[in-house]
Amino acid sequence: EAQVTQNPRYLITVTGKKLTVTCSQNMNHEYMSWYRQDPGLGLRQIYYSMNVEVTDKGDVPEGYKVSRKEKRNFPLILESPSPNQTSLYFCASSADRSVVDTQYFGPGTRLTVL
Amino acid sequence: QKEVEQNSGPLSVPEGAIASLNCTYSDRGSQSFFWYRQYSGKSPELIMSIYSNGDKEDGRFTAQLNKASQYVSLLIRDSQPSDSATYLCAVRGSGGSNYKLTFGKGTLLTVNP
């Protein structure tokens, strides 16, 4: 089954404790992206990657890091989480940058930073 | 920063009525427009795309685009309780931003039986 998976689905952590949210897709997609969704603010792009070893900042990259060492994986790293990073996070992928509109979203990761 | 604005909602309609969802965008060069549906607690899913001025129909859904007015809308005919969800308007950027989708904040639609 074609899908985007994220782990963990739910996470409660404390300020300053480094964490990684994994994202994996099995569709051989080149383009992957991370979004955060907050009430009243909608979906905002954090980082994106157009291919292996090619990443760039989205609209709200502060406090986040990403890497793209393999085509299928695109982890999101919070080196020192803060309460303002409490949010619902979605990973998404599309075949390539030319079809970025047809994005397949993962199930989401609900993160709470205390 | 390019913006996408949606009517804030929530929008409540009776079953069988037409629900009308609106969206405006700031990037005059944008050529591609999309509607995603997001059920509570779930991830967004693409339901409609539109690229040319005018109407595009798909079952009970009709997307309307007016590039001159920088306006996109989604009409849902014969609304059903299963249509209750948040609807996100998304616009593909132009020029150097054509790899990006910018989303509106969404409009919550409730269809009452």
Side-chain angles (χ1 to χ4, degrees):
Chain A
E1 179 189 355
Q3 60 182 348
V4 178
T5 57
Q6 294 178 228
N7 282 293
R9 295 288 313 281
Y10 303 90
L11 179 60
I12 300 175
T13 190
V14 296
T15 299
K17 185 175 182 182
K18 181 179 178 180
L19 66 92
T20 299
V21 183
T22 64
C23 173
S24 183
Q25 48 90 7
N26 63 0
M27 296 169 279
N28 201 35
H29 283 175
E30 291 186 352
Y31 184 96
M32 298 185 74
S33 183
W34 275 104
Y35 296 89
R36 61 178 289 174
Q37 188 173 36
D38 303 289
L41 296 177
L43 268 171
R44 295 178 292 167
Q45 191 179 49
I46 303 170
Y47 269 94
Y48 65 93
S49 168
M50 287 192 275
N51 214 326
V52 176
E53 302 292 2
V54 181
T55 64
D56 207 347
K57 298 176 181 178
D59 298 319
V60 288
E62 295 78 19
Y64 304 94
K65 287 176 58 176
V66 293
S67 67
R68 187 93 182 272
K69 294 184 170 55
E70 305 167 279
K71 199 170 189 179
R72 63 182 293 130
N73 296 324
F74 190 44
L76 179 70
I77 303 157
L78 286 72
E79 297 250 340
S80 184
S82 62
N84 65 11
Q85 293 178 296
T86 293
S87 187
L88 178 59
Y89 291 87
F90 288 104
C91 180
S93 73
S94 62
D96 59 51
R97 60 178 285 172
S98 68
V99 290
V100 70
D101 39 303
T102 309
Q103 293 198 39
Y104 296 85
F105 282 83
T109 294
R110 188 167 293 280
L111 173 66
T112 301
V113 183
L114 302 175
Chain B
Q1 183 161 328
K2 310 301 183 184
E3 295 184 346
V4 176
E5 302 283 346
Q6 296 184 242
N7 45 338
S8 55
L11 177 64
S12 182
V13 301
E15 184 174 356
I18 296 176
S20 176
L21 304 162
N22 304 314
C23 173
T24 59
Y25 59 94
S26 65
D27 185 353
R28 186 169 285 279
S30 292
Q31 300 294 319
S32 308
F33 309 89
F34 313 93
W35 285 98
Y36 281 76
R37 178 177 61 200
Q38 185 177 22
Y39 291 112
S40 180
K42 301 296 185 182
S43 54
E45 57 176 333
L46 180 67
I47 57 170
M48 287 286 286
S49 58
I50 187 166
Y51 306 96
S52 303
N53 280 329
D55 296 357
K56 178 182 178 182
E57 189 173 315
D58 183 0
R60 295 185 296 110
F61 297 92
T62 299
Q64 299 175 315
L65 174 61
N66 184 326
K67 291 182 182 177
S69 300
Q70 297 176 241
Y71 175 87
V72 192
S73 67
L74 179 70
L75 299 178
I76 306 175
R77 291 184 302 282
D78 188 23
S79 295
Q80 301 297 309
S82 59
D83 295 325
S84 298
T86 295
Y87 290 81
L88 305 171
C89 175
V91 177
R92 183 170 176 174
S94 63
S97 297
N98 68 353
Y99 52 83
K100 288 189 59 174
L101 280 185
T102 299
F103 287 84
K105 295 176 183 179
T107 298
L108 175 62
L109 170 67
T110 301
V111 181
N112 301 303

